[in-house]
């Protein structure tokens, strides 16, 4: 039997990259998976590849009404939701002197407000199950500040970490666990080949020199951690941050 046998999961930002890796493994572990994303064609193709236990939903994670519609349909299609992986997010770098209010708010809306909306909307369904798990994807940027124009991104990821702890305490006695995952460098197609943003590739190259393990993570390595938190194997873990960064944040002189 798979580690997620019979469980219903929602994965945001699941059409490609890290989210798609989560979806594939969750399906292999016996879950029924709702994949949500703004990348419609890629999402449809992935759901078709994964078979009848997967369904794709076009989804702007900043819109409450879309969350409500999706969760209602997921309940009707698969049953009550056991797992929510708040994986959707955007990266953005610009000096605070150059950043507009609109740009700042967009990062906060996608990376932070969407997590709030997801948790708030899924809970009525999740509380009908015997146990539930919410996995909020933050970043090492939610643990450490930086000086490279990441004020909006860092703010959003620190907020996800704090929200996770608060909601975990609120729900601990109700059978729902809430944890955050803090990846460092993950080698996805977006980070390996990003010709439109050469500064991103350059920034990653510099950061790698400070990673004690001297490499970035593969998507499946991160998925194994997310799987652990989504499954009953982590039944006594809540309100915690789980770091997967090759030792980067342990290196005080990095």
């Amino acid at each position: 039997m798979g580690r997620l046998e019979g469980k219903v999961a929602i994965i945001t930002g699941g059409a490609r990259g890290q989210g798609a890796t989560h979806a594939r493994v969750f399906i292999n572990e016996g879950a029924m998976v709702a994949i949500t994303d703004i990348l419609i064609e890629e999402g449809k193709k992935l759901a078709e590849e994964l078979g009848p236990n997967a369904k794709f939903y076009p989804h702007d994670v900043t819109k409450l009404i879309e969350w409500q519609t999706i969760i209602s349909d997921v309940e009707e299609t698969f049953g009550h939701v056991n797992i929510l992986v708040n994986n959707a997010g955007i990266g953005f770098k610009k000096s605070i002197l150059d950043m507009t209010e609109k740009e700042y708010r967009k990062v906060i809306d996608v990376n932070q407000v969407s997590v709030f909306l997801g948790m708030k909307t899924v809970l009525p369904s999740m509380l009908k199950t015997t146990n539930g798990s919410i996995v909020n994807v933050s970043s090492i940027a939610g643990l450490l500040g930086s000086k490279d124009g990441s004020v909006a991104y860092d703010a959003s990821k620190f907020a996800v970490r704090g929200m996770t702890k608060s909601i975990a305490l609120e729900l601990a006695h109700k059978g729902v666990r809430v944890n955050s995952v803090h990846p460092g460098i993950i080698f996805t197609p977006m980070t390996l080949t990003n010709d439109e943003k050469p500064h991103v590739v350059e920034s990653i190259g510099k950061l790698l020199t400070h990673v004690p393990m001297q490499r970035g993570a593969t998507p499946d390595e991160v998925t194994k951690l997310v799987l652990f938190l989504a499954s009953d194997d982590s039944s006594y873990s809540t309100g915690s941050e789980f770091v997967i960064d090759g030792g980067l944040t342990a290196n005080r002189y990095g």
Side-chain angles (χ1 to χ4, degrees):
M1 180 178 291
R3 293 166 70 184
L4 302 180
E5 193 70 35
K7 293 183 181 291
V8 177
I10 296 175
I11 301 173
T12 67
R16 71 177 181 187
Q18 188 66 69
T21 304
H22 298 336
R24 289 189 177 95
V25 170
F26 278 28
I27 287 288
N28 289 338
E29 292 289 344
M32 293 160 280
V33 180
I35 302 161
T36 88
D37 210 306
I38 59 172
L39 301 173
I40 296 175
E41 293 307 314
E42 290 173 86
K44 287 180 177 178
K45 183 178 179 180
L46 178 62
E48 184 177 347
E49 170 198 325
L50 296 180
N53 283 341
K55 186 172 181 179
F56 173 71
Y57 297 87
H59 186 197
D60 179 343
V61 292
T62 69
K63 305 296 184 184
L64 176 61
I65 186 64
E66 294 190 20
W67 274 106
Q68 292 170 330
T69 301
I70 288 168
I71 290 169
S72 177
D73 190 85
V74 170
E75 281 199 298
E76 185 176 332
T77 304
F78 294 130
H80 300 316
V81 181
N82 305 96
I83 301 160
L84 170 64
V85 181
N86 277 310
N87 174 75
I90 58 173
F92 184 81
K93 291 188 178 185
K94 184 179 281 190
S95 164
I96 190 171
L97 294 173
D98 300 323
M99 185 182 303
T100 66
E101 179 184 355
K102 183 177 181 180
E103 289 170 334
Y104 181 85
R105 287 184 181 276
K106 180 177 180 180
V107 176
I108 297 299
D109 280 347
V110 175
N111 290 0
Q112 176 189 347
V113 175
S114 72
V115 174
F116 164 77
L117 294 176
M119 291 191 292
K120 176 179 175 62
T121 313
V122 81
L123 281 172
S125 178
M126 192 172 283
L127 289 170
K128 296 172 186 175
T129 68
T130 55
N131 57 12
S133 177
I134 297 173
V135 183
N136 294 326
V137 179
S138 179
S139 167
I140 57 170
L143 302 170
L144 300 171
S146 61
K147 58 181 180 180
D148 61 353
S150 297
V151 59
Y153 186 77
D154 291 357
S156 69
K157 294 303 184 177
F158 264 90
V160 168
R161 178 184 172 206
M163 292 162 62
T164 296
K165 292 183 179 297
S166 293
I167 303 305
L169 294 174
E170 184 175 335
L171 299 175
H173 67 291
K174 296 184 178 181
V176 175
R177 297 178 295 105
V178 191
N179 293 287
S180 58
V181 172
H182 298 258
I185 300 169
I186 311 171
F187 283 150
T188 66
M190 186 166 60
T191 57
L192 286 173
T193 56
N194 199 333
D195 295 335
E196 295 181 3
K197 297 180 179 180
H199 66 282
V200 174
V201 177
E202 181 182 358
S203 176
I204 290 171
K206 289 180 180 178
L207 193 57
L208 271 175
T209 65
H210 300 294
V211 177
M213 292 183 70
Q214 299 183 333
R215 67 176 180 85
T218 61
D220 65 291
E221 288 178 305
V222 180
T223 292
K224 288 174 182 176
L225 176 56
V226 173
L227 172 63
F228 167 73
L229 294 173
S231 75
D232 294 339
D233 292 344
S234 57
S235 58
Y236 199 58
S237 295
T238 196
S240 295
E241 61 263 9
F242 289 78
V243 183
I244 179 165
D245 69 352
L248 180 59
T249 56
N251 184 5
R252 65 179 293 186
Y253 298 110

